[in-house]
């Protein structure tokens, strides 16, 4: 016997959580794209998609975020911080790759400077992952030592029932237990079986790739030029990525007052590493693509002992020229064998 | 299939005889309905080439990327009529030397692919003129018609809603053969002419700046629209601008490599006192 939540109780759940002061967020299919968005009742969720087009990252690290307001006067500069949002949220129906992405980025945002904007949102948000029962050609979590039912970064794991009536409930963290205490009487004991998780075939040999990437001789390999020849240098892959976290600080306003903002930035752009002198240490697109791969699978794990990729596959799924991490690591795997 | 086989043979011959240093075409992608850009440097690789109705991407932007043509050697490229128009504009704007370009023209109706006769830009001038003559008769897509029926406020609201999804990944710019500037205006930061933030104002600024820069230059290949990861119907903006340029100036972009850029050329006897 396990505890289950029936899908026809969703309306009640949403109501309970909202009454408890939480904003309820879930996968929503919009007219043009799907994303994690606020839902007002059970009908607002769309659990049918493989995963939303946009990752959960944007709920924690928005594409543009005001940090402080400044006014420059004759003898002083006044500044006023924008406080991090205090909103309590429950994200119901996150995918395991998205939740893992958040856990991966915790290490970055909490490294030398603890990013208040990120951690306030992290601490005030409950992540309820629903294990995947289907996957597409681009899913690759299993190649990253993750799985369709990974609990990394999630507070509660739900497994869809085979009979499609609801989910098995597995509380992972205290935060998750607290959120589910609010709906405890809506859960029930049941012997209903969970549906098998999606079969995600292993796309590449990660260890072999990492060994190749760590070999300094390969930094200047002609492989990089070959593999990235068709890269057009947009930021679609980095901006949809649940773990890419680079940002730029910009002051917007006139001479005397304005707002300092934190905006997404991307290593795909030539401007990303452009020096004031005009010199660019990553002057070609292949150097920029190499950086993205090296950062995710060599530098980041070197520093934080975890790969900066959770295998969602959005980079490849969405690429205008059909590139992506999968193809690159598959080709590196071939070089190694 | 016949077109594909014929072209494979020609590509092999041209590469083997060193008539071209590279041919840019298509190869299979990661799923059956996807095609990837392919860069063929030796005749042995020509067998990877595919040509079918799913070969949609306008590849002409690669010709002006990272100094491909700087050695003055010739490059072959697979182009649909829109792509041929693109390289005509690039030549007219002094971005490439047409004598370096060997065109493998093709078009498709349904699933049928047919070759377009010719190898040099000038071989296609009659075809392009025909396309210009027929363009007013092509029926507009319903969404564009409904936008045109909107009043100013409704139209503004429509685009505000669409642009609210923009994440400024610049996939539209990067996918566009006309966006070849070494440094885009939005990347100029001394001073910062355009906000980098992708809030509503910043998104409007970006998309409207791009629409203006493409007026009279866009060939509606659809690269921007397909590249957009948040599905903003960018094609509609450029389609409308192209219509206005056709109506106002009888200008159909990319008819020939010597066609004057309509909004970037100056006539002494211009009756207008204002120049954009």
């Amino acid at each position: 016997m396990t505890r289950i939540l029936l899908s026809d109780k969703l309306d009640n759940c949403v109501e309970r959580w909202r009454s408890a002061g939480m904003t309820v967020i879930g996968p929503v299919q919009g007219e043009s794209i799907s994303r994690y968005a606020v839902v007002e009742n059970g009908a607002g969720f769309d659990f049918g998609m493989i995963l939303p087009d946009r990752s959960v990252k944007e709920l924690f690290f928005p594409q543009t975020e005001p940090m402080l307001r400044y006014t420059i006067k004759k003898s002083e500069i006044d500044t006023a911080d924008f406080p991090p949002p205090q909103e309590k949220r429950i994200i119901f129906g996150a995918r395991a790759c998205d939740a893992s992405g958040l856990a991966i980025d915790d290490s970055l945002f909490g490294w030398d400077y603890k990013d208040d904007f990120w951690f306030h949102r992290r601490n005030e948000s409950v992540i309820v992952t629903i294990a995947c029962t289907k996957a597409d050609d681009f899913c690759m979590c299993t190649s990253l030592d993750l799985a369709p039912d990974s609990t990394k970064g999630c507070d509660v794991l739900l497994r869809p029932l085979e009979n499609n009536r609801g989910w098995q409930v597995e509380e992972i963290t205290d935060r998750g237990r607290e959120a589910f205490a609010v709906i405890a009487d809506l859960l029930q004991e049941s012997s209903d079986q969970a549906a098998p998780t999606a079969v995600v075939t292993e796309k590449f040999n990660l260890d072999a790739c990492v060994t190749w990437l760590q070999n300094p001789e390969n930094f200047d390999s002609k492989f990089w030029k070959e593999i990235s020849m068709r890269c057009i240098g947009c930021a679609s892959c980095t901006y949809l990525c649940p773990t890419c976290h680079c940002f730029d600080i910009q002051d917007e306003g006139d001479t005397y007052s304005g707002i300092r903002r934190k905006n997404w930035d991307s290593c795909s752009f030539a401007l990303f590493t452009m020096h004031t002198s005009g010199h660019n240490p990553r002057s070609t697109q292949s150097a920029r693509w190499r950086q993205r791969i090296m950062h995710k699978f060599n530098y980041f794990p070197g520093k934080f002992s975890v790969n900066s990729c959770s295998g969602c596959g959005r980079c490849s799924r969405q690429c205008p020229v059909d590139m992506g991490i999968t193809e690159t690591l598959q080709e590196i795997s071939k070089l190694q064998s | 299939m016949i077109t594909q086989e014929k072209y494979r043979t020609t590509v092999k011959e041209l590469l083997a005889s060193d008539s071209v240093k590279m041919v840019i075409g298509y190869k299979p992608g990661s799923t059956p309905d996807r095609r990837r850009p392919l860069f063929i440097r030796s005749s042995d690789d020509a067998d990877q080439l595919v040509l079918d109705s799913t070969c949609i991407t306008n590849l002409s932007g690669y010709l002006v990327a990272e100094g491909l043509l700087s050695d003055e050697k010739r490059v072959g490229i697979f182009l649909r009529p829109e792509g041929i128009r693109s390289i005509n504009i690039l030549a007219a704007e002094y971005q490439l030397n047409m004598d370096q370009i060997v065109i493998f023209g093709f078009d498709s109706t349904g699933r049928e692919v047919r070759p377009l006769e010719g190898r040099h830009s000038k071989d296609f001038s009659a075809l392009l003129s025909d396309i210009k003559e027929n363009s007013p008769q092509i029926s507009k897509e319903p969404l564009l018609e409904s936008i045109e029926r909107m009043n100013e406020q409704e139209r503004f609201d429509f685009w505000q809603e669409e642009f609210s999804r923009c994440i400024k990944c610049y996939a539209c710019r990067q996918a566009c053969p006309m966006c070849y500037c070494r440094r885009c205006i939005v990347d100029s930061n001394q001073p910062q002419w355009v906000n980098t933030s992708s809030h509503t104002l910043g998104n409007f600024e970006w998309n409207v700046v791009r629409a203006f820069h493409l007026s009279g230059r866009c060939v509606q290949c659809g690269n921007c629209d397909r590249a957009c990861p948040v599905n903003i119907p960018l094609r509609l903006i450029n389609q409308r601008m192209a219509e206005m340029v056709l109506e106002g100036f009888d200008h159909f972009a990319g008819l020939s490599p010597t066609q004057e850029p309509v909004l970037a050329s100056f006539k002494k006897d211009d009756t207008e006192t204002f120049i954009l």
Side-chain angles (χ1 to χ4, degrees), chain A residues 32-33 54 63-64 137-138 225-226 229-230 232-236 239-240 250 252 261 263-264 269 271 284-285 316-318 320-322 327, chain B residues 22 29-31 34 36-37 39 41 62 66 165-171 173-175 183 187 192 195-199 227-231:
Chain A
S32 316
I33 52 161
R54 290 173 73 153
Q63 60 203 45
T64 178
D137 294 341
F138 299 99
K225 189 98 199 155
E226 293 293 322
M229 188 106 187
R230 66 183 189 277
I232 55 173
C234 74
S236 174
Y239 285 1
L240 294 182
Q250 286 270 337
E252 264 180 30
R261 309 184 73 95
N263 293 337
W264 284 357
F269 295 145
L271 193 66
T284 57
Q285 205 54 43
S316 315
R317 202 177 280 113
Q318 198 54 60
V321 291
D322 196 39
E327 182 208 11
Chain B
M22 179 194 278
S30 49
T31 56
R34 288 193 180 197
R36 287 176 180 171
F39 305 89
R41 287 191 207 77
Y62 287 117
E66 295 193 2
R165 291 197 306 278
C166 176
I167 49 176
K168 285 204 178 173
C169 67
Y170 299 127
R173 173 185 76 185
Q174 298 303 107
R183 192 153 189 180
D187 289 341
Q192 184 85 53
N195 289 329
T196 63
S197 308
S198 71
H199 44 44
C228 180
V230 294
N231 299 332

Side-chain angles (χ1 to χ4, degrees), chain A residues 51-53 55 136 138-140 144 204 230-231 234-244 268 289 292-293 296-297 308-329, chain B residues 30 34 36 227 229:
Chain A
L51 81 175
D53 295 328
S55 85
D136 69 8
F138 299 99
C139 291
M140 51 159 175
L144 278 308
F204 45 81
R230 66 183 189 277
C231 178
C234 74
S236 174
C237 53
T238 47
Y239 285 1
L240 294 182
C241 174
T243 63
C244 273
S268 306
W289 180 248
R292 184 155 193 263
I293 299 293
K296 288 194 172 299
F297 303 101
S308 177
C309 172
S310 61
C312 72
R314 285 188 182 89
C315 52
S316 315
R317 202 177 280 113
Q318 198 54 60
C319 178
V321 291
D322 196 39
M323 272 180 63
I325 286 174
T326 310
E327 182 208 11
T328 298
L329 295 194
Chain B
S30 49
R34 288 193 180 197
R36 287 176 180 171

